Amino acid sequence: MLPPELRREDGLDGLPEVSELDVVRHFTRLSQWNLSAATTLYPLGSCTMKYNPLANEVVARLSGFAGLHPLVPDQWAQGTLELMARLTQFLRDVSGMPEVTLQPAAGAHGELTGLKMVRAYHVDRGNPRRRVLIPESAHGTNPASAALCGYGVTEVPAGPAGMLEVETVKRMLDDDVAAMMITNPNTLGVFEQEIRGIAHALHAAGALLYCDGANMNALMGVAKPGDMGADVLQFNLHKTFSTPHGGGGPGSGPVAVSALLEPYLPAPRLVESDGAWRWSSDFPKAIGRVRSFHGNVGMLVRAYCYMRMLGGDGLTDATEKAVLNANYLRAHLSRSLPLAVATPSMHECVFSDKDLGETGVHTLDIAKRLLDYGFFAPTIYFPLVVPGAIMVEPTETESKQTLDEFVAAVEAIVAEAHADPAQVTQAPHGTFIGRLDETRAARRPVLRYRKPTAP
Ligand SMILES: *Cc1c(COP(=O)(O)O)cnc(C)c1O
């Protein structure tokens, strides 16, 4: 019984009166207005919208994991703690780096955690340094994380092949540079071939190499950032390691570090003593806690399950197929859209709308028209260095048949752009809601039911 002072006195008039069946139909219908990776190819570049195996969900829902209270004493949580320790080991293996924290809740949060360790490292050495170098093609979270951590950002241009050049980086180095943040493969989908030379130059100048590992889909099981000289790297478990993402749900952004940064890892850390796991806060140089409790543990269970199911060879196979699929699309789509750079791709590739100039059709229109063909849209207008960018990441979980259908849809849309541009510029025609006002949709979303007011 609610205490009387908490009970409302006025009635609840104005709420819609509907039956259970009407509610079921309403929400089922709403769910079908959406496109998702469960209904169609979702080639959103840099987001790795791969299939998330349902077995992960079954395991994450086991009551021993899902029902465990985050404050139970360590001796009652041994199963979950062991899972976390094993996942930590997998991530050490994949990154080639000696230690990992599972605390951060997303990629950007991992970046901030990593940079806080970089700052603590330099402070310990007597010069906190003030700047971070970031390539101009970087994901927006990189400069944002650096700024949040109190650093100034200096942009580094790429060379004509869409790659960083060690000589350019060297010219920008001095004893005020704390670190350089590099996404490899970069946001053009191109592998940074000079990465080791760059790591060497950074280290010679006393700076550290941050690798943005959000897109490990192109590397896992094949190449290790630790071998490339990375000092710190965040994973996005909700991309490469198949935990659900989108819709603002929980993510997970574990951070791997080199031996130099190991003392600064967030605490508490998992330690083993007398054959049992326990949390220890006995790390005097730790940057502290970055997340309540122990991170988004449900995501850790899913990622562990995924890696166990695939095994080491399976992870390698996933990477190879992700790269193969992207190059297949690259070869076929480049017949209808110009490529941003000629350099071969890894897990994604970037096109532009520049050949459509006279038709009046732009990247946004192509993205909208793809919805009519039943596909979700690629990432558009990113990376910023490519005007009218169309960034496609098919992932390894798509079949050749689906990729062929997507290629056919893009070819048809480019043909329409020349023959009947209005068909494209006014798209989508077949979705429940037509073209939105992109600005108002983002700035003034209507998310809440409000009782209609009397006229
Ligand atoms: C997705 C992504 C991020 C950010 O990850 P979040 O989990 O969305 O915070 C950072 N860098 C790159 C390269 C990414 O693709």
Side-chain angles (χ1 to χ4, degrees):
M1 242 341 214
L2 273 181
E5 69 275 16
L6 294 180
R7 286 184 224 157
R8 62 186 302 150
E9 276 152 23
D10 54 333
L12 273 178
D13 45 297
L15 282 183
E17 281 290 335
V18 285
S19 69
E20 182 173 329
L21 177 58
D22 287 335
V23 171
V24 168
R25 286 184 178 154
H26 174 69
F27 284 107
T28 306
R29 200 164 48 236
L30 280 185
S31 74
Q32 290 167 348
W33 292 350
N34 238 343
L35 296 181
S36 77
T39 54
T40 182
L41 171 69
Y42 204 118
L44 197 64
S46 202
C47 294
T48 313
M49 303 303 286
K50 63 166 80 173
Y51 170 66
N52 303 324
L54 290 179
N56 297 350
E57 297 304 312
V58 175
V59 174
R61 280 166 177 67
L62 290 176
S63 63
F65 294 122
L68 190 66
H69 193 284
L71 291 178
V72 299
D74 297 345
Q75 71 265 29
W76 295 347
Q78 286 298 304
T80 298
L81 297 187
E82 176 159 352
L83 180 144
M84 293 170 78
R86 289 191 193 186
L87 176 64
T88 301
Q89 185 56 43
F90 288 173
L91 296 177
R92 287 188 193 112
D93 289 346
V94 167
S95 61
M97 296 167 76
E99 203 44 272
V100 173
T101 173
L102 301 176
Q103 272 189 33
H109 192 203
E111 292 170 30
L112 180 65
T113 305
L115 288 171
K116 280 183 173 296
M117 290 189 261
V118 168
R119 177 173 282 281
Y121 166 87
H122 286 302
V123 166
D124 244 5
R125 270 154 196 75
N127 176 9
R129 302 187 172 213
R130 284 177 303 189
R131 285 189 304 124
V132 169
L133 304 184
I134 300 183
E136 56 188 2
S137 68
H139 197 270
T141 52
N142 288 187
S145 299
L148 206 57
C149 203
Y151 287 115
V153 171
T154 306
E155 271 197 15
V156 185
M163 264 181 278
L164 291 167
E165 291 168 357
V166 68
E167 290 310 319
T168 314
V169 176
K170 271 189 187 160
R171 278 196 297 277
M172 302 178 87
L173 284 173
D174 57 34
D175 62 7
D176 210 25
V177 173
M180 179 161 185
M181 296 181 87
I182 298 182
T183 310
N184 195 16
N186 64 28
T187 52
L188 288 167
V190 172
F191 185 82
E192 295 288 1
Q193 292 179 17
E194 302 199 12
I195 185 88
R196 290 184 75 163
I198 293 171
H200 193 72
L202 287 166
H203 292 150
L208 300 177
L209 173 58
Y210 185 107
C211 276
D212 181 332
N215 304 130
M216 284 296 283
N217 237 40
L219 296 182
M220 63 172 176
V222 176
K224 302 185 180 192
D227 295 343
M228 300 173 204
D231 295 290
V232 49
L233 164 122
Q234 108 277 358
F235 293 93
N236 278 35
L237 296 188
H238 48 290
K239 288 179 180 168
T240 318
F241 299 95
S242 90
T243 76
H245 71 303
S252 183
V255 176
V257 293
S258 65
L260 289 181
L261 291 182
E262 182 273 336
Y264 308 100
L265 280 168
R269 286 165 59 177
L270 205 49
V271 296
E272 194 179 12
S273 52
D274 302 329
W277 295 101
R278 64 180 176 84
W279 293 109
S280 166
S281 294
D282 192 14
F283 295 96
K285 295 198 171 202
I287 57 165
R289 195 187 256 294
V290 298
R291 176 74 171 77
S292 54
F293 306 122
H294 310 300
N296 287 331
V297 175
M299 295 300 125
L300 307 180
V301 176
R302 288 171 173 87
Y304 176 75
C305 178
Y306 175 75
M307 294 175 89
R308 277 303 294 267
M309 279 196 300
L310 262 63
D313 291 344
L315 294 180
T316 306
D317 192 42
T319 296
E320 288 172 355
K321 293 212 167 79
V323 174
L324 179 63
N325 275 357
N327 280 285
Y328 185 80
L329 279 188
R330 177 191 163 88
H332 287 272
L333 288 179
S334 63
R335 291 197 304 258
S336 29
L337 292 170
L339 281 161
V341 287
T343 318
S345 312
M346 299 292 284
H347 64 305
E348 63 193 359
C349 44
V350 182
F351 303 88
S352 86
D353 64 357
K354 72 169 189 239
D355 288 356
L356 293 174
E358 272 142 45
T359 66
V361 168
H362 299 287
T363 288
L364 177 69
D365 308 312
I366 297 174
K368 295 293 182 191
R369 186 69 176 137
L370 274 168
L371 305 178
D372 284 335
Y373 282 85
F375 294 104
F376 197 79
T379 292
I380 55 172
Y381 301 108
F382 179 81
L384 303 176
V385 286
V386 180
I390 302 171
M391 182 195 215
V392 183
E393 181 182 10
T395 81
E396 72 278 13
T397 51
E398 298 299 333
S399 65
K400 176 173 176 297
Q401 185 182 1
T402 304
L403 300 183
D404 287 338
E405 287 164 8
F406 181 71
V407 169
V410 173
E411 281 171 358
I413 293 168
V414 171
E416 284 172 353
H418 291 284
D420 181 12
Q423 185 74 355
V424 189
T425 54
Q426 286 164 25
H429 308 280
T431 53
F432 181 75
I433 291 175
R435 188 154 315 190
L436 293 170
D437 177 329
E438 300 273 324
T439 310
R440 284 210 356 253
R443 299 224 171 128
R444 291 183 28 212
V446 181
L447 300 177
R448 194 168 70 153
Y449 175 79
R450 278 180 202 279
K451 188 162 105 174
T453 46

